[in-house]
Each structure stands twice: as structure tokens, then as C-alpha cells.
Amino acid sequence: MTSPLARDQEPGTTVDLYPGSAGGGGIVRRTVLPGGLRIVTEAVPTVRAVTFGVWVGVGSRDETLEQAGATHYLEHLLFKGTGRRDALEISAALDAVGGELNAFTAKEYTCYYARVLDADLPLAIDVVCDMLTSALLRNADVENERGVILEEIAMHDDDPGDVVHDEFAKALLGDSPLGRPILGSVASIKSLSRDVINGYYRECYRPDATVVTAAGNLDHDDVVRMVTEAYQLAGVTPDQSALPVAPRIGATVLAPAGGVALVTRPTEQANLVLGMPGIPRTDDRRFALGVLNSALGGGMSSRLFQEVREKRGLAYSVYSFASHYADLGMFGVYAGCLPGKVDQVLEICRSELAKVAAAGITSEELARGIGQLRGSLVLGLEDTGSRMSRLGKSELVYGELLTVEEILDKIASVTLDDVRAVANELLVAEPTLAVIGPLEADAEFLRAGS
């Protein structure tokens, strides 16, 4: 079953997206308010917790060069105060009930959320909606938080395991918004003004680009009423004719793949990512790619873990990964090893990628991969935060909400031929290599990575 699109739903109405089931799904309902704000909840009466989140369809890929880092900067500033609460009162409100209040910025969306006892859900809704709708963004807060974000960038830059992924994205995606780091750069953060950030806030944080989700011991109608009251209290007057923003359709054009991005640093370990373009998030082959990722580098029984760590002891950490966006994706392998072992690790990684591209995986690897994906999905549903996130991402970026049973069936239906086909298409591309460590860009190293 496919859930109806929010844009096709009559404003001011509520629909049941799907009923509760023995497969792990609670009762999911969606209300679309006049002005396009969507509220999606999953009732799980067997728990005492509720996670409430507000998702805004704006991420770092929406920034111009002048705005680079503004999405994440704004995430920080929304915690600094509103007309009703200062920064201390915002944090103290949730601390006083043992709750959790947090947020995160991604390349295509931003989320603010609170996890509380069911009895404290009204407080969570009031605080989070107040932050989202009524942030003051004072000059003093912008200046104070500038230093905090610069410290965050410095902390990030001190971790080569994080930086190498940024270097890989930049090398593969080029100087595009998707290729730039979410945090921005030191230069862009220093140059961002309060006017630019405030303009970004007013432009992007619209009701029609917002999805409210909640999961746990709740009543949908109560959530709708409290969210509506919170937005009315804030004086939000949405365009009554606006429809919910449709899922993003990107238009990133990849530069030719291949090449080496080397950052020379006096680290004890070399960190490397070897990868290539992947597939968009809505591509039906994502389930086959998930099984492939599991078999190649998704666990202790995976090929890379066994070949690089268990058999040869060349690295402590080695894994593969798949990242999906609206219009494209990335697939790659990561390893951290002693500088003198980079060539050996690269040789093994390239060899395993070539083997899988040519012959696929074994039936045993297929069974393990399917079991790993199905198990991790269902186990994740033990947490109301995971359920809330599933609702938010499904509504905001996928445009449909698959039931748990539908996802499990799609994973279970992956065949050896499906995996072989996606591996043969993706893994034959000339890979891009990013390396950070005490290495020189000499001819020998470039040949090892080319």
C-alpha cells in the first residue's frame, strides 16, 4: 500500500495512513493544516515516552556561497531565545522533566526534537514550536554563537576520520552545495551576518515546508490541537492557499569521477575513503544496494572486515557506506590504518570492489545481508525517536510512508541478480580517493590510488 500524497489531501483534514499491525507499526495518521503544515503521528500505547520533532525542508545544499553554513548556524541560534523564553529557560524546561532537547542539520533537511514522558508532551510541543516560530536571532547571540561554531569546526577538523569524508564528498561532487561541508568553512562563518541568517530563516522556515512528527503514547487529535495552538500563539499567519512543498527534486551534475584528494597531515594514522557515485534515495535499487553494502563492509562478517582486519590485521576500522540524496548518491569504503599500510589496504579494497562488481555476492552473504537489514529496522523501532525520524523522513523527503511490512518485504525480495546488477553498474566506475595522513603526493602514491 502506498500512502496518499499530502499535496492531494484536503487542507484541514486527517487521514489514516495505515493502522497498527503485528509487524511493529503503530497507528499512523496525518493532518494537513490550511497553509500546508503537516502533522504525522504514530501511536504506540505500550510505551511511556513520546518523541516530538519538527522537520524543515532546508539543508546545507540550499545555501548560496554567501550563505554557506547558515543552516547549521540557524540551528544553533534557535536555542538562544524567543519572546517568551531565554536560552536558559528553553533548556531548563526540558531538563526539569528529565527530557531531551536537541537538533541536527543535514544536507537536505533540519530537525528539532524533544523526547519526554507522555505526560510532558504538551511542554515539549510548546517549547519546540516556540523555538521554531519565534526565534529572536539577536545580534549578540549571533556573535556569541559564531565563536561556538568556529570551535565546532575546529573540533571537526581535528578528527581526520570525519574530515576525510568531507574531502571525499568535495572531490566527488565538486564545488556544489552537496559537495560542501554542512558546518561551512571558517571564512564563511566569519563573514555571515545577522541579516543574512535572519533572511534565510524567514525565507525557509515556512509552514508549507515544515513537517511535524511524533511517536509514542499519544493521541493524534491532541497533538494537532496543541501544535495548532502553538503556531497561533506565535502569530504565524500562513498563506492559506499554500500546499505542502513536494519532495525535493535535485539537479546536481557530477563532475567526471576519479582522481586523488590528498591532505598531508602529521597524524599517526592515515584515513582514506575510496568511492564512486551511488543512487538517489527513491531508486528502487536502494534495497539491493543495502544488501550489497552489508555484505561488503557492513559488519564483522563482511568481506572488508574479514580481509583487512581479521586475516591481515591492517586496520582497526574498515567499513563501506551508502549515502542517498534526492538526485544522486555516494558509495564508498573507509579505512584507517598506519601510513605504511595504505597501499596494501587500498589494494584489498579495490580488489574486493572489483570482485563484487564482476561476480556479485554469495547466497550466504545475501541471506546475512537481508537478515541484518531486516533486524536492524525492526530493532530500531523499539525507540520512539527512530519511529519519529522514520515519519519525518518519509513525509518530507520520500513523499510516501511505507509500512514496516512493506519495507521488510522489499528487503526480503532482493535476489542475487539484483545485487549483481547494482554492483556491476556502480562499482565499475573509476573511483575517487580521499586520503588524510603523513603522506606525500608523489608519483608512486598517485599510481596506488588511480
Side-chain angles (χ1 to χ4, degrees), residues 5-36:
L5 296 176
R7 291 174 63 85
D8 297 332
Q9 186 175 327
E10 188 70 23
T13 64
T14 298
V15 299
D16 291 342
L17 297 182
Y18 62 84
S21 67
I27 299 172
V28 178
R29 306 179 73 194
R30 178 178 64 208
T31 295
V32 177
L33 298 179

Side-chain angles (χ1 to χ4, degrees), residues 193-232:
S193 68
R194 189 265 177 187
D195 288 343
V196 169
I197 298 171
N198 185 60
Y200 194 70
Y201 174 52
R202 303 299 172 188
E203 175 188 358
C204 299
Y205 278 54
R206 308 185 314 274
D208 59 319
T210 302
V211 173
V212 172
T213 59
N217 189 22
L218 56 80
D219 178 83
H220 178 82
D221 293 336
D222 287 343
V223 174
V224 172
R225 174 181 54 79
M226 289 185 283
V227 170
T228 301
E229 291 173 353
Y231 270 71
Q232 290 174 344

Side-chain angles (χ1 to χ4, degrees), residues 271-289:
N271 291 264
L272 63 93
V273 173
L274 181 73
M276 58 282 297
I279 58 176
R281 70 162 60 92
T282 55
D283 194 311
D284 287 338
R285 296 172 299 167
R286 66 187 184 274
F287 300 103
L289 183 59

Side-chain angles (χ1 to χ4, degrees), residues 2 7 23 29 44 56 79 114 116-117 128 160 186 233 245 251 254-255 274 284 286 295 302 351 374 379 387 419 445:
T2 300
R7 291 174 63 85
R29 306 179 73 194
V44 189
V56 185
F79 286 83
V116 293
L117 294 176
V128 176
V186 171
L233 180 62
V245 173
L254 283 180
L274 181 73
D284 287 338
R286 66 187 184 274
S302 67
S351 174
R374 285 167 56 90
L379 290 175
R387 290 176 182 261
V419 176
F445 177 73

Side-chain angles (χ1 to χ4, degrees), residues 149-219:
I149 295 171
L150 289 173
E151 290 290 344
E152 186 175 357
I153 292 175
M155 181 176 67
H156 173 83
D157 288 348
D158 277 344
D159 187 342
D162 287 341
V163 177
V164 73
H165 284 277
D166 286 345
E167 292 296 326
F168 170 71
K170 182 169 65 174
L172 184 65
L173 303 177
D175 187 25
S176 68
L178 270 179
R180 295 195 287 265
I182 292 172
L183 298 181
S185 65
V186 171
S188 70
I189 296 303
K190 286 183 175 180
S191 67
L192 274 173
S193 68
R194 189 265 177 187
D195 288 343
V196 169
I197 298 171
N198 185 60
Y200 194 70
Y201 174 52
R202 303 299 172 188
E203 175 188 358
C204 299
Y205 278 54
R206 308 185 314 274
D208 59 319
T210 302
V211 173
V212 172
T213 59
N217 189 22
L218 56 80
D219 178 83

Side-chain angles (χ1 to χ4, degrees), residues 79 85 87-102 114-117 120 123-124 127:
F79 286 83
R85 297 178 175 91
L88 176 59
E89 289 169 327
I90 288 173
S91 58
L94 274 296
D95 286 347
V97 296
E100 175 190 3
L101 178 65
N102 214 330
R115 183 171 181 264
V116 293
L117 294 176
D120 298 314
L123 173 66
V127 171

